Amino acid sequence: MVVRKRLELHGPALVFVTTTIQEWTPIFQEEKLASLIVSQLKETIEHYRVSLVGYVLMPSHLHMLLGFKEIGKLSRFMQSFKILSSKLLKDSIPKSISGKFFNKNNFRLWKPRFDDLIITSEEQFRIKLNYIHFNPVKTGLVDNPTDWKYSSAGDWILEKPGLMPIDKDFTWID
């Protein structure tokens, strides 16, 4: 069980979140599906007024550093993002693999849970941000983290705006 379920946490927090596609199916290798997810993530972030501090969309999962003014909104944010993105992608997934996401006529794109870790120090923040940015390199998708289109690496390393606005100034520690 994750810490936030056992503790009554309130106030601002920066959290490292990972969510995964059912059976680790690499559907985001397809540009169309990856673009749809990015679009839905942007919309959900704007609706919930969440700060996106870092991210990487991998072929089968998503890592994010999210800043919340009220950490209690994390579960609702993730639930909303997963529901809306599932509806958005349901009819766009190739028929050859779409069967993996149906169980008794119910469509489920994402694994039902997500992993989260509340960031408590600058060192921990740097470790997670580097993990996010170097994930495509580690898995052999690119040689340089800034070459991965679906990542905040360009924002952080080259100061070049990427697909989604990044909030480098989110304050979570007093």
Side-chain angles (χ1 to χ4, degrees):
M1 184 181 282
V2 294
V3 172
R4 95 185 126 65
K5 291 287 188 186
R6 289 180 272 149
L7 300 175
E8 298 256 345
L9 299 174
H10 301 284
L14 181 65
V15 61
F16 174 73
V17 177
T18 300
T19 191
T20 308
I21 295 295
Q22 292 286 353
E23 298 183 28
W24 289 81
T25 307
I27 66 168
F28 301 126
Q29 289 176 332
E30 290 199 31
E31 177 110 12
K32 177 183 176 187
L33 299 180
S35 294
L36 287 171
I37 281 297
V38 167
S39 173
Q40 185 58 61
L41 182 57
K42 269 196 242 184
E43 184 179 310
T44 309
I45 283 168
E46 289 170 11
H47 177 78
Y48 281 87
R49 295 185 173 98
V50 172
S51 289
L52 181 63
V53 178
Y55 73 95
V56 65
L57 178 63
M58 298 294 288
S60 62
H61 61 285
L62 173 64
H63 295 297
M64 300 175 282
L65 276 167
L66 300 171
F68 287 86
K69 289 187 170 120
E70 179 50 58
I71 190 60
K73 293 183 179 180
L74 173 60
S75 289
R76 283 184 297 200
F77 170 84
M78 288 302 295
Q79 180 183 32
S80 179
F81 168 69
K82 289 169 120 181
I83 288 170
L84 293 169
S85 61
S86 292
K87 287 179 181 178
L88 186 63
L89 267 66
K90 182 178 179 181
D91 295 328
S92 298
I93 294 174
K95 300 292 182 213
S96 60
I97 61 168
S98 65
K100 293 181 177 191
F101 305 109
F102 283 94
N103 183 10
K104 298 179 184 174
N105 292 329
N106 292 322
F107 181 79
R108 179 165 283 181
L109 179 65
W110 301 97
K111 288 186 177 187
R113 58 160 186 76
F114 63 91
D115 296 316
D116 64 310
L117 172 73
I118 294 175
I119 303 299
T120 58
S121 70
E122 187 71 28
E123 178 185 11
Q124 191 180 38
F125 165 69
R126 291 284 165 208
I127 289 168
K128 292 304 183 187
L129 188 64
N130 285 333
Y131 177 83
I132 284 172
H133 292 158
F134 281 89
N135 204 238
V137 175
K138 185 178 119 185
T139 58
L141 295 169
V142 290
D143 292 328
N144 186 315
T146 57
D147 292 339
W148 190 246
K149 178 179 179 178
Y150 301 103
S151 168
S152 58
D155 294 87
W156 282 95
I157 298 168
L158 304 175
E159 296 188 16
K160 177 183 160 194
L163 297 174
M164 292 188 277
I166 299 302
D167 183 358
K168 295 181 184 180
D169 299 320
F170 179 79
T171 303
W172 79 97
I173 299 175
D174 293 329

